[in-house]
């Protein structure tokens, strides 16, 4: 393979600049995270608001007590519910207090009438044999997916009312929420135990998720740019005149570097934006990403990109247009993200056979290994990392050689999709 | 300049180019002719080092093509396109940079070329804003930028209006005057007659004609005299057949008869000759005749000549059969 690096650089430079100047690129850099943030807000904020709304509307609980166990029950229920999403920030969590009046009815008929007339919000019927059976009936005009908030409120009232006058108020509170003040201590990197921060627990999940997602996306975005570029150039008959001046290997190398850099630019921009937004929370939760993990992530990105980039280039070269190319590429893009579907298992048991197998299998190795390495309890033996890298590097090299051969021959084939035997023959041809 | 020796390229056991040999001399415009599927594009792709021959050798000034002097050859393929969403001048300058010119020089040269083909005002517009004809002129410029020493143009006249055909011919003449060698592949035989010094015709991968265009025309002329005369004797030595065509007389000569002897015999018999000409066959007719012979459709001569005979004759500047 004779390569003129100056020509490859010229091609890489053009590919990079042309790509990053496109409006679609800017949309990917800024639009994708913005869209994601909007979607998440649209999903989570209404949930929180709806729970608060549910409690605000829960004004009167009607009770028909046939058991007599609740004669001295509390006449009201008081509590609070979080109403904002500030758990990741330094700001204190806002809580909205609520009060529910408890109104007793001698008979169910009268209570039901009051419920229908909306004088009470819900009705709780306590049968005479409640203490023996535990059976209760709750009546409401309607229900929705947030009705569990009401159930928790009613349960708390039942506990407090059952114990009232039998035990002291402190014990009542402890029984109602026995583990409210429990702190978990875990081993820190320095070898001592320290209180486990709930936010830290969240980050223990979010960090591998974010790193794995960035790894998967950066590989896929670079690969997609490659496939799109090759496919468009083939479709618009640009390549033949270029191949007179540069050889297929120079063209391929230039595209790999230029479009890989474009994909990396997107990921870097997302990291910078993410750090600016979540940096204070990360610092507060003492989340640290080790330099060794970052270095390994870079190596896995490079090898993973070469592997998938080679495949995408080959697909672009043997197909006739972008639509055809995308149909073929879907399977490979999916393979890259398969470790995400097994993320709970990988993070829960990063040393399991499944986690090891996925991190050794080249198409899934970059994402799977980054998930394993960034899992909270990860201790990945060096030999597994070395073997995984060696397998990925070897496969990427073979894919690139095959892809260069497909690229050289496929670029000049118009109108007819090659058969599998033809593709294999092109790959074998030197 | 360019030497192609005994080049063979096969696909699936079928020779698409079979023992083709020819040379293109410095500063000439050389025509590569042949019917569709003759192997012209494969041959061009081997000359441009896009494909490797199975056997044989292709050299540019004594060195194998490809490698370090790829930038000395430019190629305008028959099926061609441009990057559509970039300014015209950038699309053009990119080709210049790939041929080893510095970025600024490439841009200057691109502007000069655009001015030459009348597209200076469109330099900063996106390629996709140009009409099809304008894009074709930009495509031509991609083959001109970077001062390549050998230009290979495949059907460059297709789709151009008469004014732009004239412009292209002027540009070709300018380049030729500047010492650039041009290999022209076209089906427009009138352009070959007007522009080209020598030609090679291939059919089914074999060489069938090779030599100077004027020699090919001379050799393929009908062995006949066309004349306007007062009368004609019943018997003229050396004449096999006489027929009247559009008020003129066409005298088909015996194979060994010389036109000057026939004319002398007529004058000796007091025939008043107002005008006469030695019939010439247009290159297009030669093309059709040769292709048909190669395909076995002509009842006259059969089979292509041997490559060795063609090379010998072509290199001598003569014709191949």
């Amino acid at each position: 393979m004779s390569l003129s690096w100056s020509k490859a650089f010229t091609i890489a430079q053009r590919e990079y600049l042309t790509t990053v100047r496109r409006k679609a690129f800017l949309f990917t850099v800024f639009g994708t995270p913005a869209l994601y943030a909007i979607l998440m807000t649209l999903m989570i904020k209404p949930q929180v608001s709806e729970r608060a709304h549910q409690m605000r509307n829960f004004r009167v609980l009607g009770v028909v007590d046939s058991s007599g166990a609740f004669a001295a029950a509390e006449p009201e229920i008081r509590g609070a519910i979080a109403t904002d999403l500030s758990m990741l920030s330094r700001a204190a969590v806002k809580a909205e207090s609520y009060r529910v009046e408890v109104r007793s009815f001698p008979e169910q008929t009268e209570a039901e009438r009051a419920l229908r007339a909306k004088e009470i919000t819900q009705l709780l019927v306590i049968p005479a044999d409640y203490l023996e059976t535990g059976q209760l009936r709750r009546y409401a005009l309607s229900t929705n997916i947030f009705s569990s908030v009401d159930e928790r409120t009613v349960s708390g009232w039942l506990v407090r009312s059952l114990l009232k006058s039998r035990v002291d108020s402190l014990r009542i509170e402890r029984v109602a929420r026995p583990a409210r003040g429990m702190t978990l201590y875990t081993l820190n990197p320095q070898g001592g135990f320290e209180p486990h921060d709930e936010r830290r627990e969240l980050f223990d999940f979010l960090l591998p998720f974010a790193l794995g997602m960035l790894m998967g996306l950066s590989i896929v975005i670079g690969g997609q740019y490659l496939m799109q570029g090759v496919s468009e150039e083939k479709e618009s008959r640009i390549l033949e005149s270029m191949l007179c001046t540069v050889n297929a290997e120079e063209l391929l190398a230039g595209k790999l570097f230029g479009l890989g850099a474009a994909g990396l630019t997107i990921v870097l921009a997302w990291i910078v934006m993410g750090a600016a937004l979540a940096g204070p929370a990360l610092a507060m939760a003492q989340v640290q990403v080790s330099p060794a993990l970052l270095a390994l992530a870079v190596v896995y990105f490079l090898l993973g990109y070469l592997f998938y980039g080679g495949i995408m280039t080959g697909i672009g070269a043997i197909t006739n247009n972008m639509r055809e190319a995308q149909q073929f590429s879907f399977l490979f893009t999916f393979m890259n993200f398969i470790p995400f579907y097994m993320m709970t298992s990988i993070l829960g048991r990063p040393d399991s056979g499944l986690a090891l197998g996925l991190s050794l299998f080249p198409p899934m190795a970059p994402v799977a290994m980054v998930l394993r390495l960034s899992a909270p309890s990860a201790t990945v033996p060096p030999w597994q990392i070395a073997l995984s890298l060696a397998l990925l590097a070897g496969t990427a090299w073979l894919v690139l050689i095959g892809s260069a051969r497909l690229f050289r021959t496929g670029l000049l084939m118009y109108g007819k999709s090659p058969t599998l035997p033809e593709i294999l023959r092109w790959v074998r041809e030197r | 300049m360019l030497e192609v020796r005994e080049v063979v390229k096969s696909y699936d056991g079928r020779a698409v180019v079979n023992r083709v040999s020819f040379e293109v001399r410095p500063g000439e415009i050389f025509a590569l002719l042949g019917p569709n599927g003759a192997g012209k594009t494969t041959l061009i792709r081997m000359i441009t080092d896009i494909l490797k021959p199975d056997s044989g050798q292709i050299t540019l000034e004594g060195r194998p093509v490809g490698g370090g002097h790829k930038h000395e050859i430019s190629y305008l393929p028959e099926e061609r396109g441009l990057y559509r969403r970039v300014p015209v001048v950038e699309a053009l300058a990119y080709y210049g940079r790939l041929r080893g010119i510095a970025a600024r020089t490439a841009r200057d040269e691109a502007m000069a070329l655009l001015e030459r083909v009348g597209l200076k005002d469109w330099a900063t517009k996106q390629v996709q804003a140009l009409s099809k004809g304008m894009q074709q002129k930009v495509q031509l410029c991609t083959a001109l930028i970077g001062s390549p020493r050998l230009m290979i143009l495949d059907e460059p006249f297709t789709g151009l209006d008469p004014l732009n055909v004239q412009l292209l011919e002027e540009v070709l003449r300018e380049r030729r005057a500047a010492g650039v060698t041009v290999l022209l592949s076209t089906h427009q035989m009138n352009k070959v007659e007007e522009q080209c010094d020598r030609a090679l015709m291939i059919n089914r991968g074999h060489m069938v004609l090779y030599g100077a265009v004027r020699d090919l025309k001379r050799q393929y002329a009908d062995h006949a005299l066309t004349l306007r005369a007062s009368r004609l004797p019943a018997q003229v030595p050396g004449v096999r057949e006489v027929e009247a065509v559009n008020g003129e007389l066409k005298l088909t000569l015996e194979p060994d008869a010389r036109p000057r002897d026939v004319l002398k015999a007529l004058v000796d018999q007091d025939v008043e000759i107002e005008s006469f000409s030695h019939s010439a066959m247009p290159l297009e007719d030669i093309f059709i005749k040769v292709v048909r012979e190669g395909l076995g459709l002509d009842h006259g001569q059969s089979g292509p000549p041997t490559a060795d005979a063609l090379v010998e004759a072509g290199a001598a500047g003569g014709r191949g059969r």
Side-chain angles (χ1 to χ4, degrees):
Chain A
M1 192 189 288
S2 73
L3 262 180
S4 157
W5 287 107
S6 69
K7 284 182 182 177
F9 176 73
T10 303
I11 294 163
Q13 192 182 27
R14 186 210 159 267
E15 295 290 345
Y16 180 78
L17 291 176
T18 311
T19 306
V20 299
R21 282 175 187 161
R22 285 185 183 171
K23 286 176 189 154
F25 182 84
L26 292 177
F27 178 79
T28 309
V29 170
F30 299 106
T32 306
L35 195 66
Y36 186 72
I38 290 168
L39 279 175
M40 290 301 283
T41 308
L42 285 177
M43 275 171 63
I44 296 171
K45 190 144 191 169
Q47 282 185 31
V48 176
S49 306
E50 192 55 40
R51 285 154 67 100
H53 178 74
Q54 186 83 7
M55 285 316 303
R56 268 185 230 117
N57 287 346
F58 193 4
R59 294 182 180 283
V60 185
L61 172 69
V63 176
V64 178
D65 178 21
S66 305
S67 69
F70 296 87
E74 293 285 334
E76 64 174 17
I77 309 167
R78 285 183 180 276
I81 187 161
T83 56
D84 70 2
L85 300 169
S86 52
M87 63 189 302
L88 295 179
S89 73
R90 286 175 190 273
V93 175
K94 281 186 195 169
E96 186 179 317
S97 60
Y98 61 84
R99 176 183 171 278
V100 181
E101 180 195 340
V102 179
R103 193 182 295 171
S104 292
F105 288 87
E107 288 183 7
Q108 188 170 342
T109 322
E110 190 186 339
E112 281 184 21
R113 187 203 56 76
L115 180 63
R116 285 197 176 89
K118 297 186 180 171
E119 290 166 12
I120 59 173
T121 321
Q122 289 190 19
L123 168 62
L124 182 69
V125 176
I126 307 167
D129 58 353
Y130 166 66
L131 287 177
E132 290 79 31
T133 65
Q135 298 296 315
L136 286 169
R137 296 196 300 276
R138 190 156 63 103
Y139 294 78
L141 291 175
S142 63
T143 183
N144 62 32
I145 56 167
F146 302 105
S147 297
S148 60
V149 184
D150 306 342
E151 193 180 314
R152 280 203 298 272
T153 306
V154 173
S155 294
W157 176 80
L158 285 167
V159 169
R160 288 183 180 87
S161 302
L162 278 171
L163 298 178
K164 194 177 178 189
S165 76
R166 286 182 171 76
V167 289
D168 61 78
S169 60
L170 282 175
R171 282 191 165 74
I172 293 172
E173 280 310 308
R174 293 296 77 79
V175 171
R177 300 181 71 179
R180 186 183 186 187
M182 184 161 69
T183 305
L184 173 67
Y185 283 76
T186 53
L187 201 62
N188 66 19
Q190 288 76 39
F193 284 99
E194 63 181 10
H196 185 77
D197 191 335
E198 279 187 14
R199 281 173 303 217
R200 180 65 186 268
E201 194 169 282
L202 180 72
F203 285 118
D204 281 348
F205 173 80
L206 280 184
L207 182 68
F209 177 81
L211 284 176
M213 184 58 87
L214 284 173
M215 174 66 67
L217 281 177
S218 54
I219 288 172
V220 165
I221 289 171
Q224 286 289 327
Y225 275 138
L226 263 172
M227 189 181 72
Q228 189 180 348
V230 172
S231 193
E232 277 178 6
E233 286 177 7
K234 188 181 172 188
E235 210 173 340
S236 54
R237 309 287 199 264
I238 292 171
L239 291 164
E240 189 161 359
S241 57
M242 283 188 64
L243 285 173
C244 167
T245 308
V246 299
N247 61 39
E249 287 77 15
E250 286 158 356
L251 199 56
L252 181 60
K255 283 182 177 297
L256 273 170
F257 291 129
L259 295 173
L264 206 55
T265 303
I266 291 177
V267 176
L268 286 176
W270 287 347
I271 290 173
V272 169
M273 285 190 278
L277 290 173
L282 290 168
M284 204 163 67
Q286 294 182 316
V287 174
Q288 289 176 339
V289 182
S290 76
L293 172 59
L294 281 180
L296 274 173
V298 170
V299 175
Y300 271 103
F301 162 74
L302 290 174
L303 294 176
Y305 169 70
L306 290 177
F307 175 80
Y308 275 98
I311 289 175
M312 296 300 165
T313 308
I315 290 174
I318 61 171
T319 48
N320 287 310
N321 51 51
M322 192 57 196
R323 187 174 50 80
E324 241 181 74
Q326 275 172 336
Q327 285 168 355
F328 278 99
S329 71
F330 172 76
L331 175 70
F332 296 100
T333 307
F334 179 69
M335 280 173 80
N336 183 34
F337 283 105
I338 280 179
F340 274 104
Y341 294 93
M342 300 168 188
M343 191 171 160
T344 318
S345 304
I346 296 172
L347 294 184
R349 290 183 57 210
D351 53 351
S352 67
L354 174 74
L356 173 63
L358 290 177
S359 59
L360 291 181
F361 184 52
M364 298 172 197
V367 172
M369 187 56 99
V370 164
L371 287 177
R372 282 185 72 191
L373 290 169
S374 55
S377 55
T379 45
V380 183
W383 71 264
Q384 290 183 6
I385 299 173
L387 181 60
S388 163
L389 284 173
L391 286 172
L392 181 59
T395 318
W397 177 247
L398 290 175
V399 165
L400 278 176
I401 289 175
S403 163
R405 289 174 185 173
L406 281 182
F407 189 69
R408 201 168 48 207
T409 315
L411 289 183
L412 303 173
M413 301 286 171
Y414 303 122
K416 174 186 168 287
S417 297
T419 59
L420 188 60
E422 278 175 324
I423 292 172
L424 294 176
R425 199 182 66 223
W426 294 353
V427 170
R428 282 197 301 268
E429 273 174 6
R430 283 183 178 274
Chain B
M1 175 74 183
L2 175 73
E3 194 171 356
V4 177
R5 267 183 291 176
E6 293 285 314
V7 163
V8 176
K9 182 75 184 175
S10 301
Y11 291 113
D12 298 329
R14 189 177 68 87
V16 179
V17 173
N18 198 348
R19 292 189 61 213
V20 169
S21 299
F22 64 97
E23 63 161 337
V24 181
R25 296 167 183 167
E28 75 173 350
I29 301 182
F30 185 91
L32 177 61
L33 311 174
N36 296 330
K40 299 190 297 293
T41 303
T42 304
L43 187 54
I44 289 174
R45 284 175 177 173
M46 288 190 285
I47 293 169
T48 52
D49 193 41
I50 295 173
L51 294 177
K52 303 284 181 201
D54 296 339
S55 63
Q57 201 175 22
I58 303 174
T59 55
L60 188 70
E61 297 191 326
R63 293 176 296 169
V65 291
H69 57 186
K70 255 180 115 80
H71 60 277
E72 291 178 5
I73 304 178
S74 72
Y75 175 31
L76 181 70
E78 186 177 6
E79 298 222 49
R80 50 202 176 231
L82 293 164
Y83 291 107
R84 295 177 59 76
R85 284 180 285 185
V86 290
V88 174
V89 67
E90 275 186 31
L92 200 47
Y94 180 51
Y95 280 85
R97 291 188 63 197
L98 291 178
R99 293 204 183 105
I101 318 175
R104 180 169 287 277
T105 316
R107 196 180 165 84
D108 291 346
E109 199 176 322
M111 284 303 294
L113 282 169
L114 289 173
E115 188 170 6
R116 176 67 188 90
V117 298
L119 291 176
K120 189 185 175 189
D121 294 341
W122 294 82
T124 53
K125 299 275 191 302
Q126 288 212 331
V127 170
Q128 60 188 356
L130 269 59
S131 70
K132 194 180 169 195
M134 287 173 170
Q135 287 191 27
Q136 278 187 284
K137 289 202 279 187
V138 179
Q139 284 156 358
L140 172 69
C141 291
T142 63
L144 297 172
I145 197 164
S147 308
R149 301 184 64 193
L150 172 64
M151 285 169 55
I152 301 174
L153 310 178
D154 196 353
E155 294 295 352
F157 300 101
T158 308
L160 292 178
D161 64 35
L163 277 175
N164 283 318
V165 167
Q166 198 176 25
L167 174 70
L168 173 57
E169 288 172 352
E170 284 171 18
V171 170
L172 286 182
R173 279 194 286 273
E174 287 167 12
R175 291 285 157 156
R176 177 194 207 162
V180 175
T181 306
V182 179
L183 194 155
L184 182 67
S185 173
T186 180
H187 288 138
Q188 296 188 19
M189 296 301 157
N190 59 329
K191 296 297 168 204
V192 176
E193 288 187 39
E194 290 165 20
Q195 301 284 332
C196 298
D197 304 294
R198 296 188 313 126
L200 165 73
M201 186 191 288
I202 57 174
N203 188 26
R204 289 183 165 185
H206 291 87
M207 297 171 68
V208 288
L209 278 180
Y210 175 42
V213 172
R214 63 173 186 282
D215 290 346
L216 296 176
K217 286 190 67 176
R218 191 182 303 143
Q219 293 300 327
Y220 268 83
D222 277 348
H223 198 41
L225 278 172
T226 302
L227 52 88
R228 194 178 287 276
S230 55
R231 64 183 179 81
L232 209 60
Q235 289 288 324
V236 183
V239 175
R240 191 173 66 190
E241 188 183 351
V242 178
E243 56 181 321
V245 180
N246 297 330
E248 292 181 325
L249 297 168
K250 184 180 176 187
L251 281 61
T252 304
L253 309 185
E254 297 288 354
D256 56 347
R258 293 192 304 177
R260 57 183 286 191
D261 295 337
V262 174
L263 284 170
K264 187 170 181 300
L266 290 171
V267 171
D268 289 347
Q269 293 184 47
D270 292 332
V271 174
E272 285 186 22
I273 299 171
E274 293 172 30
S275 65
F276 71 91
S277 64
H278 192 205
S279 299
M281 186 187 279
L283 198 57
E284 187 159 333
D285 290 354
I286 299 174
F287 178 94
I288 293 167
K289 181 181 168 70
V290 169
V291 171
R292 280 188 178 158
E293 281 176 6
L295 296 173
L297 298 176
D298 196 302
H299 296 295
Q301 301 169 50
S302 62
T306 64
D308 293 340
L310 281 172
V311 171
E312 199 175 315
R319 70 167 202 106
R321 58 188 310 159

